[in-house]
Amino acid sequence: MAAAGPGGIPPQVLMWAERPPLAAPVDYARITRPGHRWWRILVALLLLLGIWVVAQIVLAVGFMVVGVLAGWDPLWFMAGLMEFPAIRMTPGALLYTNLVLAAFIPATIISIRVAHGVRRGFVHSVAGRFRWGLFGQLTLLLLPIWLLYVVGATWAAGGSLASINPHPEMWALMAVVWLTTPLQSAGEEYAFRGWLLQNIGGFFAVRALAWGVPIIVSAVTFGLMHGSLDPWVLGPLMIMAAAAGVMAWRSGGLEAAIALHSLNNVIVMTLTLTMGGFDDAFISTETTGSPGDLAGAFLGHAAAVAVVWWWVKRRGVPNTTIVDPRRPLMVRGTPPPPGHP
């Protein structure tokens, strides 16, 4: 048996303790702050877009191979998208779209890892991992709030939950929505919150700027990327992005934002598949809104942020770390002690 070190601490724990911690705690947006250089963000951007484009090509080739083997049109998965602007979102088109957006998850992690040297776990959260327990808890807490918000928004817009107008391919589309839309939502969060927060936030030593600037950039970019220039459509999208950024700051990771985004997309798509309007929702350039949509979005997202804020405070969830995100998790092949992130 190996002799214990000072204070009875096992040698392998002492080996881990030899890793010097950061001089001061850092939060999620400033994970890349130590060693940040202006050119690193350019490298990260090129890697992000390059990996994402390659993923699109790989997925397209894979879908075409499946189509040929199944005796279908090789471009079966693009059939609905090729009818733009009158988009018909087929199950294949939705599956391809969701997987392409989900590809932002590995693209974000790899780009930050290579450009900044940050371990992949710290792209998820300051704990150095994805906190599945916290994600599950927040999903359950946000579910009733978001159901109430979506139902209220539908009623305020003049819709009726009693009207049933199922989509012709409802069940196939529903399966795709429930199985892959959470991945699509997570992909957008890793790109618009994870990538932008950590790359832009790393420029600033002042915490308010490290969060304020990337949250504003994220909100504007996220809104514009959805295609509509109607202010009553852009407004709710920007509010959602800002709320997700605040959640990331308060909780120290992306879990809360992913929970909110996933719930929103799954609930809205499920509702439109059963009540009608599913295909119209994807014609973003023709979508219009109203001041009521903006007010409802503000109230709904404010309630969601308040719940997340209360829960992480109640649970004592840390939003900073003193563990150096660049040092390897293994020291001379020694496994980490129990409970180490």
Side-chain angles (χ1 to χ4, degrees), residues 103-306:
F104 272 124
I105 300 173
T108 298
I109 293 172
I110 294 171
S111 67
I112 292 177
R113 171 61 178 161
V114 174
H116 297 281
V118 172
R119 296 203 306 268
R120 63 180 182 273
F122 285 93
V123 181
H124 306 308
S125 75
V126 294
R129 56 184 173 81
F130 190 87
R131 297 166 294 183
W132 286 103
L134 180 64
F135 172 74
Q137 295 161 13
L138 292 176
T139 299
L140 292 176
L141 286 169
L142 293 173
L143 177 59
I145 295 174
W146 221 247
L147 284 172
L148 182 62
Y149 165 60
V150 172
V151 169
T154 302
W155 174 79
S160 172
L161 295 179
S163 62
I164 303 297
N165 182 25
H167 192 282
E169 299 178 285
M170 183 181 73
W171 293 115
L173 284 165
M174 198 81 80
V176 176
V177 166
W178 281 80
L179 291 174
T180 65
T181 293
L183 291 174
Q184 166 262 318
S185 303
E188 292 188 12
E189 288 305 314
Y190 275 87
F192 288 100
R193 251 61 66 188
W195 193 93
L196 282 174
L197 285 175
Q198 293 196 339
N199 276 278
I200 298 177
F203 276 115
F204 302 98
V206 179
R207 192 181 192 191
L209 292 176
W211 281 98
V213 173
I215 284 178
I216 292 172
V217 173
S218 170
V220 173
T221 307
F222 184 75
L224 293 175
M225 287 297 289
H226 282 76
S228 177
L229 294 179
D230 185 286
W232 308 120
V233 174
L234 274 175
L237 289 169
M238 292 173 66
I239 288 173
M240 181 180 186
V246 173
M247 289 178 177
W249 163 64
R250 187 62 187 87
S251 64
L254 297 177
E255 296 89 351
I258 294 172
L260 176 69
H261 201 150
S262 299
L263 284 172
N264 179 77
N265 288 7
V266 169
I267 291 172
V268 169
M269 288 186 181
T270 299
L271 198 62
T272 55
L273 279 171
T274 55
M275 295 176 56
F278 181 78
D279 292 330
D280 295 339
F282 291 91
I283 310 176
S284 55
T285 55
E286 299 181 6
T287 303
T288 58
S290 68
D293 296 331
L294 184 64
F298 178 81
L299 292 174
H301 287 89
V305 169

Side-chain angles (χ1 to χ4, degrees), residues 7-32:
I9 301 175
Q12 65 267 29
V13 178
L14 285 177
M15 291 169 67
W16 272 78
E18 289 171 3
R19 295 191 311 159
L22 296 173
V26 296
D27 49 33
Y28 182 79
R30 292 185 292 175
I31 286 290
T32 62

Side-chain angles (χ1 to χ4, degrees), residues 57-106:
I57 295 172
V58 170
L59 285 168
V61 171
F63 272 65
M64 285 189 284
V65 169
V66 171
V68 170
L69 294 177
W72 305 332
D73 182 337
L75 293 179
W76 61 276
F77 64 100
M78 296 294 290
L81 301 180
M82 287 176 157
E83 298 175 14
F84 184 85
I87 290 175
R88 179 175 59 87
M89 188 55 74
T90 63
L94 181 61
L95 178 61
Y96 177 75
T97 301
N98 281 355
L99 293 180
V100 163
L101 291 171
F104 272 124
I105 300 173

